[in-house]
Short mmCIF file of all heavy atoms in Angstrom, two decimals:
data_model
loop_
_atom_site.label_atom_id
_atom_site.label_comp_id
_atom_site.label_asym_id
_atom_site.label_seq_id
_atom_site.Cartn_x
_atom_site.Cartn_y
_atom_site.Cartn_z
N LEU A 1 101.22 89.42 99.12
CA LEU A 1 100.95 90.84 98.86
C LEU A 1 99.95 90.99 97.71
O LEU A 1 99.05 91.84 97.77
CB LEU A 1 102.23 91.58 98.54
CG LEU A 1 103.15 91.95 99.71
CD1 LEU A 1 103.99 90.77 100.18
CD2 LEU A 1 104.05 93.12 99.35
N ASP A 2 100.10 90.15 96.70
CA ASP A 2 99.21 90.24 95.54
C ASP A 2 97.78 89.85 95.91
O ASP A 2 96.82 90.42 95.37
CB ASP A 2 99.72 89.34 94.42
CG ASP A 2 101.04 89.82 93.84
OD1 ASP A 2 101.38 91.01 94.04
OD2 ASP A 2 101.75 89.00 93.22
N TYR A 3 97.62 88.88 96.82
CA TYR A 3 96.29 88.45 97.23
C TYR A 3 95.53 89.60 97.88
O TYR A 3 94.30 89.70 97.77
CB TYR A 3 96.37 87.27 98.19
CG TYR A 3 95.07 86.54 98.41
CD1 TYR A 3 94.56 85.69 97.44
CD2 TYR A 3 94.35 86.68 99.60
CE1 TYR A 3 93.37 85.01 97.64
CE2 TYR A 3 93.16 86.01 99.81
CZ TYR A 3 92.68 85.17 98.83
OH TYR A 3 91.49 84.50 99.03
N ALA A 4 96.25 90.48 98.53
CA ALA A 4 95.62 91.62 99.20
C ALA A 4 94.94 92.56 98.20
O ALA A 4 94.03 93.31 98.57
CB ALA A 4 96.65 92.39 100.01
N LYS A 5 95.36 92.50 96.95
CA LYS A 5 94.77 93.38 95.93
C LYS A 5 93.39 92.92 95.50
O LYS A 5 92.64 93.70 94.90
CB LYS A 5 95.70 93.45 94.72
CG LYS A 5 97.08 94.01 95.04
CD LYS A 5 98.02 93.91 93.85
CE LYS A 5 99.42 94.39 94.20
NZ LYS A 5 100.37 94.23 93.07
N THR A 6 93.04 91.68 95.81
CA THR A 6 91.74 91.15 95.40
C THR A 6 90.85 90.74 96.56
O THR A 6 89.65 90.55 96.38
CB THR A 6 91.94 89.92 94.49
OG1 THR A 6 92.64 88.90 95.22
CG2 THR A 6 92.74 90.28 93.24
N SER A 7 91.43 90.61 97.76
CA SER A 7 90.67 90.15 98.93
C SER A 7 90.05 91.33 99.66
O SER A 7 90.64 92.41 99.76
CB SER A 7 91.59 89.39 99.89
OG SER A 7 90.94 89.09 101.10
N LYS A 8 88.85 91.11 100.20
CA LYS A 8 88.18 92.15 100.98
C LYS A 8 88.71 92.25 102.41
O LYS A 8 88.47 93.25 103.08
CB LYS A 8 86.67 91.87 101.01
CG LYS A 8 85.99 92.02 99.66
CD LYS A 8 84.50 91.78 99.77
CE LYS A 8 83.82 91.98 98.43
NZ LYS A 8 82.34 91.73 98.51
N ARG A 9 89.41 91.21 102.88
CA ARG A 9 89.87 91.27 104.28
C ARG A 9 91.36 91.04 104.45
O ARG A 9 91.91 91.38 105.51
CB ARG A 9 89.09 90.28 105.15
CG ARG A 9 89.16 88.83 104.73
CD ARG A 9 88.47 87.94 105.75
NE ARG A 9 88.30 86.57 105.26
CZ ARG A 9 88.02 85.53 106.01
NH1 ARG A 9 87.85 85.69 107.32
NH2 ARG A 9 87.87 84.33 105.50
N TRP A 10 92.06 90.48 103.49
CA TRP A 10 93.49 90.22 103.61
C TRP A 10 94.25 91.49 103.26
O TRP A 10 94.23 91.94 102.12
CB TRP A 10 93.88 89.08 102.67
CG TRP A 10 95.30 88.61 102.78
CD1 TRP A 10 96.39 89.07 102.10
CD2 TRP A 10 95.78 87.54 103.60
NE1 TRP A 10 97.51 88.38 102.43
CE2 TRP A 10 97.17 87.42 103.36
CE3 TRP A 10 95.18 86.67 104.50
CZ2 TRP A 10 97.96 86.47 103.99
CZ3 TRP A 10 95.97 85.71 105.13
CH2 TRP A 10 97.35 85.62 104.89
N ASN A 11 94.92 92.09 104.24
CA ASN A 11 95.63 93.35 104.03
C ASN A 11 97.13 93.15 104.22
O ASN A 11 97.59 92.80 105.30
CB ASN A 11 95.13 94.40 105.03
CG ASN A 11 93.74 94.89 104.71
OD1 ASN A 11 93.56 95.85 103.96
ND2 ASN A 11 92.74 94.22 105.26
N MET A 12 97.87 93.39 103.15
CA MET A 12 99.33 93.39 103.19
C MET A 12 99.82 94.31 102.06
O MET A 12 100.24 93.86 101.01
CB MET A 12 99.90 91.98 103.04
CG MET A 12 101.40 91.89 103.37
SD MET A 12 102.13 90.27 103.00
CE MET A 12 101.35 89.23 104.22
N PRO A 13 99.73 95.62 102.27
CA PRO A 13 100.10 96.54 101.20
C PRO A 13 101.59 96.56 100.89
O PRO A 13 101.99 96.98 99.81
CB PRO A 13 99.63 97.90 101.73
CG PRO A 13 99.64 97.75 103.21
CD PRO A 13 99.24 96.32 103.46
N ASP A 14 102.39 96.12 101.84
CA ASP A 14 103.84 96.07 101.65
C ASP A 14 104.40 95.08 102.66
O ASP A 14 103.66 94.54 103.49
CB ASP A 14 104.46 97.46 101.84
CG ASP A 14 105.69 97.66 100.97
OD1 ASP A 14 106.41 96.66 100.70
OD2 ASP A 14 105.95 98.80 100.55
N ARG A 15 105.70 94.85 102.62
CA ARG A 15 106.30 93.92 103.58
C ARG A 15 106.40 94.53 104.97
O ARG A 15 106.53 93.81 105.94
CB ARG A 15 107.66 93.44 103.07
CG ARG A 15 107.49 92.60 101.81
CD ARG A 15 108.82 92.19 101.19
NE ARG A 15 108.60 91.67 99.86
CZ ARG A 15 108.88 90.43 99.47
NH1 ARG A 15 109.40 89.57 100.32
NH2 ARG A 15 108.64 90.04 98.24
N TRP A 16 106.37 95.83 105.04
CA TRP A 16 106.20 96.52 106.33
C TRP A 16 105.31 97.73 106.08
O TRP A 16 105.39 98.39 105.06
CB TRP A 16 107.53 96.88 106.98
CG TRP A 16 108.41 97.81 106.22
CD1 TRP A 16 108.41 99.19 106.28
CD2 TRP A 16 109.45 97.48 105.30
NE1 TRP A 16 109.38 99.72 105.46
CE2 TRP A 16 110.03 98.69 104.85
CE3 TRP A 16 109.96 96.26 104.82
CZ2 TRP A 16 111.09 98.71 103.94
CZ3 TRP A 16 111.00 96.30 103.90
CH2 TRP A 16 111.56 97.50 103.48
N TYR A 17 104.42 97.98 107.04
CA TYR A 17 103.40 99.00 106.85
C TYR A 17 102.73 99.29 108.19
O TYR A 17 103.00 98.61 109.19
CB TYR A 17 102.35 98.54 105.83
CG TYR A 17 101.60 97.28 106.24
CD1 TYR A 17 100.36 97.36 106.89
CD2 TYR A 17 102.12 96.01 106.00
CE1 TYR A 17 99.67 96.22 107.27
CE2 TYR A 17 101.44 94.86 106.37
CZ TYR A 17 100.21 94.98 107.01
OH TYR A 17 99.53 93.85 107.41
N SER A 18 101.83 100.26 108.21
CA SER A 18 101.12 100.59 109.44
C SER A 18 99.63 100.70 109.19
O SER A 18 99.17 100.88 108.05
CB SER A 18 101.64 101.91 110.04
OG SER A 18 101.36 103.00 109.19
N HIS A 19 98.87 100.57 110.28
CA HIS A 19 97.41 100.73 110.25
C HIS A 19 96.98 101.51 111.48
O HIS A 19 97.41 101.20 112.60
CB HIS A 19 96.71 99.37 110.22
CG HIS A 19 95.23 99.48 110.47
ND1 HIS A 19 94.37 100.06 109.56
CD2 HIS A 19 94.47 99.10 111.53
CE1 HIS A 19 93.15 100.04 110.06
NE2 HIS A 19 93.18 99.47 111.24
N HIS A 20 96.12 102.49 111.28
CA HIS A 20 95.61 103.34 112.36
C HIS A 20 94.12 103.07 112.53
O HIS A 20 93.36 103.14 111.58
CB HIS A 20 95.86 104.82 112.03
CG HIS A 20 95.51 105.77 113.12
ND1 HIS A 20 94.23 106.23 113.35
CD2 HIS A 20 96.29 106.36 114.07
CE1 HIS A 20 94.24 107.06 114.37
NE2 HIS A 20 95.47 107.15 114.84
N GLN A 21 93.72 102.72 113.75
CA GLN A 21 92.30 102.42 114.05
C GLN A 21 91.88 103.27 115.24
O GLN A 21 92.52 103.23 116.30
CB GLN A 21 92.12 100.95 114.39
CG GLN A 21 90.68 100.52 114.57
CD GLN A 21 90.01 100.16 113.24
OE1 GLN A 21 90.66 99.64 112.33
NE2 GLN A 21 88.73 100.44 113.12
N ALA A 22 90.80 104.02 115.10
CA ALA A 22 90.34 104.90 116.17
C ALA A 22 88.87 104.68 116.47
O ALA A 22 88.09 104.28 115.59
CB ALA A 22 90.59 106.36 115.81
N ALA A 23 88.50 104.92 117.71
CA ALA A 23 87.10 104.97 118.13
C ALA A 23 86.86 106.36 118.70
O ALA A 23 87.65 106.84 119.52
CB ALA A 23 86.80 103.90 119.18
N VAL A 24 85.77 106.98 118.27
CA VAL A 24 85.47 108.35 118.71
C VAL A 24 84.01 108.41 119.13
O VAL A 24 83.12 107.95 118.40
CB VAL A 24 85.73 109.37 117.58
CG1 VAL A 24 85.43 110.78 118.07
CG2 VAL A 24 87.16 109.26 117.08
N THR A 25 83.75 108.95 120.31
CA THR A 25 82.39 109.21 120.77
C THR A 25 82.35 110.63 121.33
O THR A 25 83.36 111.34 121.35
CB THR A 25 81.95 108.21 121.86
OG1 THR A 25 82.61 108.54 123.09
CG2 THR A 25 82.25 106.78 121.47
N ASN A 26 81.18 111.01 121.84
CA ASN A 26 81.08 112.35 122.43
C ASN A 26 81.81 112.45 123.76
O ASN A 26 81.89 113.53 124.35
CB ASN A 26 79.61 112.78 122.58
CG ASN A 26 78.81 111.80 123.44
OD1 ASN A 26 79.39 110.90 124.07
ND2 ASN A 26 77.50 111.98 123.47
N LYS A 27 82.36 111.32 124.24
CA LYS A 27 83.12 111.32 125.49
C LYS A 27 84.62 111.32 125.27
O LYS A 27 85.38 111.36 126.23
CB LYS A 27 82.72 110.12 126.36
CG LYS A 27 81.28 110.19 126.85
CD LYS A 27 80.98 109.04 127.79
CE LYS A 27 79.55 109.10 128.33
NZ LYS A 27 79.23 107.98 129.25
N GLY A 28 85.04 111.23 124.01
CA GLY A 28 86.48 111.24 123.76
C GLY A 28 86.87 110.37 122.59
O GLY A 28 86.03 110.04 121.73
#
């Protein structure tokens, strides 16, 4: 978890967590 505070790509903000990723275009 601590490594995530200094890494640009390692993400672990907590022992359980969520991430939302979306793609949006003019078609939806």
Side-chain angles (χ1 to χ4, degrees):
L1 283 79
D2 293 340
Y3 194 75
K5 299 173 184 177
T6 61
S7 173
K8 293 182 178 179
R9 58 174 170 164
W10 185 271
N11 288 270
M12 192 187 291
D14 211 329
R15 294 176 193 242
W16 62 89
Y17 61 95
S18 64
H19 168 68
H20 186 277
Q21 186 86 33
V24 181
T25 74
N26 58 9
K27 294 185 179 180

